[in-house]
Amino acid sequence: MITIPYDKIYINLDVIANSGQCFRWEKLNNSSEMESVYKIPILNDYIIIHQKEKELIFECSKEELSKWIEYLDLDFTYVLPYHIVENDSFIQSAIEYGKGMRILNQDLWETLISFILSQNTNIPKIKKCISKLIEVYGKFPSYQDILNEPEKVTYIGAGYRDKYLISAAFRYEDLQNRINFKHLSYFEFISILKNIHGVGDKIANCVALFSNHYFEACPIDVWMQRIINEEYNEIKPKWMISNYAGYLQQLAFYYKRNKL
DNA sequence: AAACAGGGGCGAA
DNA sequence: TTCGCCCCTGTT
């Protein structure tokens, strides 16, 4: 157990858990209690974290801690340039409402698989598909696992998306050997991902943002489109095409879905 | 029971 | 750039 002081204004696990960037977080207690306890997986590893008003408690060793600090993006400082959000009451309200939001540094493969499964469906279904995927392979499958036993993905109830998973596994094997994803420009990263059959603009941007921390990435889904139409008179606000687009998109999404 | 919609993407025009 | 279709599941 390692306790580190973090104010909820700085990181709020409840906000992150309901912001749609991760599908496997499991809340272990009910919300009436003073603390929030989450089981948080990465691939086949997990940690249990307790959040209190002024501190986080990590159930892990000192050696493992840095991995989870990195995952939760706690080393990154969020500074919003004022000129991007001035005279914009919608995004200002979203920033206020989503205090404690952070953009996770998730595993690339896991994020890719999760968002391929997310297309044209809803969050409960996504969660179910991912847990079925883990169930049929007995673990979170690597791309090798899927290539070895591709027929298993047909049992997770993903519909036509199961073919996309297999093509992603094929491409990923190739990409893994040739490319260091960490050192690509945003544009290169997006175009490489879109070469995967079943990965279009929206999913590529989700992966870019939620696993590789490209803050230029701004996935335009039905909710973002709704925000553009309803809040901005069908004209993209400037924050959506700024260097902080990804972070602000996440706050806007959370605000629109949960508050409005 | 049947119709519908839910964090998109593809392929054809 | 638009548009019908893709497969499945929970909901009405």
Side-chain angles (χ1 to χ4, degrees):
Chain A
M1 299 277 256
I2 300 171
T3 301
I4 305 182
Y6 280 116
D7 199 292
K8 263 193 180 175
I9 295 173
Y10 189 57
I11 174 168
N12 188 327
L13 296 184
D14 291 316
V15 170
I16 297 169
N18 295 306
S19 71
Q21 52 182 314
C22 47
F23 302 106
R24 295 172 65 206
W25 285 29
E26 190 184 341
K27 190 162 187 174
L28 299 181
N29 65 336
N30 56 42
S31 47
S32 61
E33 296 175 31
M34 286 298 289
E35 63 170 10
S36 292
V37 186
Y38 281 93
K39 179 174 177 177
I40 299 176
I42 302 179
L43 294 174
N44 294 297
D45 194 8
Y46 74 90
I47 188 173
I48 290 173
I49 302 181
H50 304 245
Q51 169 139 51
K52 305 194 179 204
E53 201 58 39
K54 299 284 185 188
E55 61 191 27
L56 289 180
I57 302 169
F58 297 79
E59 290 193 19
C60 71
S61 67
K62 278 186 177 170
E63 293 72 36
E64 295 172 306
L65 182 63
S66 62
K67 171 181 176 176
W68 299 103
I69 296 283
E70 152 83 12
Y71 172 85
L72 293 172
D73 208 29
L74 288 168
D75 287 332
F76 189 81
T77 306
Y78 293 71
V79 183
L80 288 175
Y82 179 70
H83 71 274
I84 293 176
V85 299
E86 66 179 337
N87 302 324
D88 186 334
S89 60
F90 174 78
I91 198 64
Q92 285 174 9
S93 302
I95 291 167
E96 174 66 23
Y97 184 72
K99 274 183 183 162
M101 178 75 74
R102 301 194 81 83
I103 303 296
L104 301 172
N105 293 293
Q106 301 185 80
D107 176 77
L108 176 57
W109 169 248
E110 180 175 340
T111 310
L112 176 62
I113 293 309
S114 301
F115 281 93
I116 286 175
L117 289 172
S118 81
Q119 67 178 263
N120 197 20
T121 188
N122 50 45
I123 290 177
K125 171 84 183 298
I126 301 165
K127 291 182 173 175
K128 194 172 178 186
C129 279
I130 296 173
S131 71
K132 291 275 290 182
L133 184 69
I134 293 167
E135 188 184 322
V136 299
Y137 282 98
K139 54 181 272 217
F140 195 99
S142 64
Y143 65 86
Q144 296 99 327
D145 294 328
I146 290 181
L147 292 178
N148 289 341
E149 300 178 287
E151 68 283 355
K152 281 191 176 177
V153 297
T154 59
Y155 301 136
I156 69 174
Y160 59 85
R161 301 167 199 80
D162 55 11
K163 295 185 294 291
Y164 296 159
L165 283 193
I166 294 169
S167 76
F170 259 108
R171 291 286 297 147
Y172 203 80
E173 178 172 41
D174 185 34
L175 294 174
Q176 179 98 328
N177 295 330
R178 295 191 296 111
I179 296 170
N180 185 347
F181 290 100
K182 292 279 180 199
H183 296 97
L184 296 172
S185 72
Y186 164 71
F187 181 77
E188 289 170 325
F189 187 86
I190 292 290
S191 60
I192 285 174
L193 282 187
K194 284 173 73 172
N195 276 332
I196 298 169
H197 192 67
V199 177
D201 211 44
K202 190 269 178 183
I203 292 175
N205 274 283
C206 284
V207 178
L209 180 60
F210 301 135
S211 86
N212 272 38
H213 220 265
Y214 290 100
F215 271 31
E216 313 95 304
C218 186
I220 305 295
D221 59 9
V222 295
W223 288 95
M224 273 315 109
Q225 196 57 54
R226 215 167 277 164
I227 288 170
I228 294 169
N229 295 345
E230 294 172 11
E231 309 294 339
Y232 294 103
N233 217 353
E234 307 195 357
I235 300 168
K236 267 193 185 182
K238 54 185 175 183
W239 60 260
M240 277 195 199
I241 47 178
S242 72
N243 286 335
Y244 260 81
Y247 178 56
L248 292 169
Q249 173 271 156
Q250 201 59 12
L251 289 163
F253 176 84
Y254 180 75
Y255 181 57
K256 185 76 174 173
R257 262 195 110 227
N258 294 292
K259 168 79 180 194
L260 294 180

